[in-house]
Amino acid sequence: MNICVIGCGYVGLTTGTVLSHFGHDVTCVDIDSQKVDALNNGVCIIHEDGLESMLQKQLQKGTLEFSTDIHKHLQRNAVILVAVGTPASATGKTDLTYIDQVIENITLSTQDDEKKTIIIKSTVPPGTNEYIQTRLIESGKRKDRFTVISNPEFLREGTALYDLLNPDKVVVGGRNPLELEFIRKMYAYLPSEYFFTSPVTAELIKYASNAFLATKISFINELQRICEAYKGDISVVAEAIGCDPRIGPHFLKAGLGYGGYCLPKDIQSLSHAATVKGVVPSLLYSVERVNNSQVDMYIDFLEKEAGDLNHRKITVWGLAFKSNTDDTRDSPSYRLIKRLNEKGAILTAYDPAAVNKSKIVRTSKDQYESIKDADILIIATDWMDFIEADWTKVKAEMNGSIIMDARNCLNPSDVRSAGLNYVAPGIG
Ligand code: UDX
């Protein structure tokens, strides 16, 4: 197939590269010419395991290219995969500006006698695929010019390639079973569970998936508060309940809360979509409320353990919203840094991959240099470098001894045996 991918963000870039690896001729277009130049030179713009080498291999083979010329590639390719951003607006309503621009570009670049298959990968509110189909049909004389297929993406940042090559499911929202066959062929008949459903159900599957994951996280975070009140141990509670297959062990790690580009905006978007139809999403509101108050809960806890934070030297390990990515969008670590700054703390941060974009915290390039003379160290991202830190060295560098594990990722006895004071809410 000749495929034009619109948008070189996480989803567009990784999907485009993998589709070229499957044997298709792929052109990924983006408005950012610097990004496009870097990618054409084989420089991967995101920290994603294995992606750069696959990208370079496909560029060399000549089956993958990047371009800013959207009209040329919309004209040349019969298959268009849409992976543009769908950010949340202030009201929680999804901002569909980029989707609207795509519709306009497709109508401008397509002749009435051409047929195009348009695959919507972007996460869009229920009804959007229908809206896209209607707008495209209305733009020309022939009703059969465009086939719009919803094919939501479930990849996680940090394991994007693995997830694309080993999907637990492929969701295809369409009107004709031939569309399912088309998508199976596009994914080189990857063994997976395929769901062929209406476009709106496909859209809702994507939101339901992220909403359920966020619910698990807020559930365990609320339990963590109860554990703290009764001096129970949230890690053991999570491990024990996770043995029940009806509950499962994943997404039960208490901590600073969920962040990143997807979960926060998708919960807001689903809540908004519900209220528009008169459904009150009480549970989703609670999920957000717990998440939005997690950082304050950690600050209160730290003040109880360490006293006034004003003028205290605090080092935060981790800026990325989770480990194995350099993405800091809506990172709980930054929410924490902002609150610590308001409290008057003197801040330093360190992250193995993420670049600091904030002026309120200075960063150190070295993990151990970052804690020199620190009173308190906070673990805000669960990077392996932190889990496996040399705690004797940490003790030698620091002035104080408080280590607050805000991701419940450390082994408390490793930390304590170095003479440090391990603290975390709900750890008994
Ligand atoms: C998410 C979905 O998992 C993925 O299926 C979808 O396609 C995109 O959104 P991602 O944004 O990469 O993926 O992050 P994810 O791994 O889901 O983590 C989200 C946040 O939850 C992170 O901040 C993470 O630290 C936090 N989290 C995760 C917890 O606090 N506890 C957990 O147990 C798991």
Side-chain angles (χ1 to χ4, degrees):
M1 295 181 189
N2 291 315
I3 304 174
C4 171
V5 176
I6 308 179
C8 292
Y10 269 90
V11 172
L13 175 57
T14 46
T15 311
T17 307
V18 165
L19 288 175
S20 138
H21 164 82
F22 286 158
H24 306 298
D25 276 318
V26 180
T27 306
C28 301
V29 295
D30 199 285
I31 48 171
D32 184 338
S33 57
Q34 270 185 340
K35 202 191 248 191
V36 164
D37 288 346
L39 290 167
N40 273 327
N41 286 320
V43 179
C44 189
I45 47 168
I46 53 175
H47 179 97
E48 197 58 60
D49 201 20
L51 185 59
E52 192 160 79
S53 60
M54 187 184 275
L55 173 92
Q56 288 170 354
K57 205 167 142 202
Q58 296 313 121
L59 284 169
Q60 266 168 18
K61 268 199 205 161
T63 59
L64 177 66
E65 65 162 331
F66 298 89
S67 172
T68 52
D69 194 342
I70 186 157
H71 292 291
K72 179 167 112 187
H73 295 286
L74 285 177
Q75 275 160 7
R76 275 191 184 168
N77 294 280
V79 181
I80 299 160
L81 194 140
V82 180
V84 293
T86 49
S89 65
T91 59
K93 184 171 187 257
T94 304
D95 177 356
L96 293 177
T97 307
Y98 299 119
I99 291 282
D100 282 326
Q101 279 171 7
V102 168
I103 299 173
E104 235 156 80
N105 282 325
I106 293 174
T107 53
L108 282 174
S109 312
T110 317
Q111 303 298 319
D112 237 4
D113 57 349
E114 282 177 307
K115 284 196 176 182
K116 303 274 185 198
T117 301
I118 296 141
I119 298 157
I120 308 297
K121 275 244 158 253
S122 304
T123 302
V124 289
T128 307
N129 276 267
E130 205 63 52
Y131 160 80
I132 297 170
Q133 172 94 11
T134 308
R135 273 202 59 191
L136 287 173
I137 287 172
E138 282 169 0
S139 70
K141 291 189 200 86
R142 286 180 49 181
K143 273 200 162 8
D144 64 344
R145 266 201 321 162
F146 298 109
T147 303
V148 178
I149 306 173
S150 167
N151 175 223
E153 184 48 62
F154 299 91
L155 65 81
R156 298 161 296 174
E157 290 184 19
T159 50
L161 272 197
Y162 176 86
D163 292 346
L164 280 168
L165 296 170
N166 305 277
D168 54 28
K169 63 192 164 301
V170 175
V171 174
V172 183
R175 295 153 189 85
N176 182 335
L178 286 176
E179 292 161 12
L180 171 63
E181 199 42 36
F182 180 88
I183 295 287
R184 287 170 74 98
K185 190 172 167 197
M186 187 177 85
Y187 289 127
Y189 298 99
L190 274 184
S192 179
E193 195 84 50
Y194 282 77
F195 288 88
F196 181 63
T197 176
S198 69
V200 78
T201 299
E203 291 162 339
L204 284 164
I205 291 171
K206 170 68 196 191
Y207 280 108
S209 172
N210 278 357
F212 190 72
L213 294 173
T215 305
K216 281 190 96 172
I217 297 168
S218 281
F219 170 82
I220 207 69
N221 285 341
E222 186 162 284
L223 249 294
Q224 176 194 33
R225 297 173 192 198
I226 302 172
C227 279
E228 173 59 16
Y230 283 92
K231 297 294 160 217
D233 190 328
I234 189 62
S235 298
V236 183
V237 170
E239 200 182 338
I241 64 171
C243 291
D244 183 334
R246 293 171 303 171
I247 297 173
H250 306 293
F251 273 68
L252 287 178
K253 186 73 100 184
L256 281 177
Y258 60 80
Y261 183 66
C262 298
L263 258 53
K265 84 169 168 72
D266 291 352
I267 308 312
Q268 284 174 25
S269 181
L270 183 58
S271 294
H272 185 272
T275 53
V276 164
K277 291 283 187 187
V279 179
V280 181
S282 320
L283 180 62
L284 297 180
Y285 286 154
S286 301
V287 167
E288 267 198 279
R289 253 200 312 274
V290 171
N291 201 56
N292 292 342
S293 54
Q294 244 349 62
V295 163
D296 280 336
M297 188 275 289
Y298 270 94
I299 297 278
D300 290 349
F301 173 82
L302 186 59
E303 283 177 330
K304 274 191 205 122
E305 292 289 331
D308 192 356
L309 302 178
N310 193 25
H311 292 118
R312 303 290 289 282
K313 287 182 97 174
I314 301 180
T315 299
V316 176
W317 274 359
L319 292 169
F321 81 97
K322 64 173 190 177
S323 55
N324 304 319
T325 177
D326 58 353
D327 196 348
T328 57
R329 286 175 296 177
D330 215 340
S331 173
S333 171
Y334 274 111
R335 291 181 215 144
L336 178 79
I337 286 168
K338 193 167 162 273
R339 290 292 290 123
L340 290 169
N341 183 56
E342 286 161 6
K343 291 278 177 187
I346 304 158
L347 296 165
T348 304
Y350 168 78
D351 191 285
V355 177
N356 179 30
K357 291 178 193 124
S358 160
K359 290 204 172 75
I360 59 173
V361 62
R362 96 175 175 95
T363 35
S364 173
K365 285 196 165 49
D366 181 84
Q367 186 173 341
Y368 295 94
E369 194 266 336
S370 74
I371 47 171
K372 197 163 176 36
D373 300 329
D375 297 315
I376 298 164
L377 168 62
I378 302 175
I379 315 301
T381 310
D382 55 347
W383 282 100
M384 203 42 102
D385 293 15
F386 307 156
I387 295 168
E388 293 177 345
D390 179 343
W391 296 107
T392 309
K393 205 166 161 189
V394 170
K395 169 89 174 130
E397 292 292 341
M398 281 179 71
N399 182 35
S401 63
I402 294 181
I403 311 294
M404 182 168 81
D405 182 2
R407 283 290 173 192
N408 279 1
C409 59
L410 307 180
N411 182 344
S413 56
D414 287 354
V415 180
R416 286 179 183 137
S417 59
L420 291 160
N421 180 14
Y422 176 94
V423 298
I427 291 297

